[in-house]
């Protein structure tokens, strides 16, 4: 996650590397191992670079809405996740509803 974050911070849009990282993260085991901050770093990095990887964002949304995961997210995690999906113009009503419910708790 820090690799994606770092690439975004320096605006390094290495598509081959980012595609490889997205595939690795979205593969199931990797995304399931990520905590809230790591998942947000990946979503934020791709959004900051303007790279819309559908499979990655589906995996991030699914993980975020998974069992009890949202309860590990703080307000900044929730806001950054919503920002990333909005920036990439990815509509996921179920995710946005889950984020809204969580932020109101």
């Amino acid at each position: 996650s820090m690799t994606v974050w770092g690439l975004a911070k320096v605006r390094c849009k290495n598509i081959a590397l980012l595609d490889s990282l997205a595939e690795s993260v979205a593969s199931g085991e990797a995304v399931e191992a990520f905590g809230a901050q790591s998942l947000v770093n990946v979503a934020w990095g791709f959004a900051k670079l303007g790279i819309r990887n559908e499979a990655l964002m589906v995996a991030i949304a699914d993980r975020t809405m998974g069992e009890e995961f949202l309860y590990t997210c703080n307000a900044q995690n929730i806001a950054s996740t919503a920002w990333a999906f909005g920036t990439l113009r990815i509509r996921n009503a179920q995710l946005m509803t889950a984020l809204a419910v969580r932020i109101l708790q």
Side-chain angles (χ1 to χ4, degrees):
S1 75
M2 293 306 295
T3 301
V4 174
W5 181 86
L7 290 170
K9 285 297 275 186
V10 298
R11 299 182 193 269
C12 178
K13 203 170 184 177
N14 183 326
I15 299 299
L17 176 58
L18 288 160
D19 282 347
S20 178
L21 289 168
E23 184 178 329
S24 176
V25 170
S27 71
E29 286 183 26
V31 77
E32 291 300 320
F34 277 10
Q37 188 62 54
S38 295
L39 210 59
V40 169
N41 286 347
V42 173
W44 180 89
F46 274 80
K48 185 75 174 168
L49 292 170
I51 299 171
R52 184 176 169 148
N53 184 299
E54 296 289 337
L56 173 65
M57 298 310 282
V58 165
I60 289 172
D62 289 349
R63 172 71 170 133
T64 300
M65 293 184 293
E67 276 185 47
E68 307 291 321
F69 186 82
L70 270 174
Y71 294 103
T72 68
C73 295
N74 62 30
Q76 182 178 355
N77 298 148
I78 292 167
S80 294
T81 300
W83 176 85
F85 277 79
T87 297
L88 293 172
R89 294 191 166 97
I90 296 174
R91 295 175 190 225
N92 187 321
Q94 187 178 5
L95 174 64
M96 292 303 134
T97 299
L99 294 175
V101 167
R102 174 64 180 113
I103 202 69
L104 292 172
Q105 293 177 336

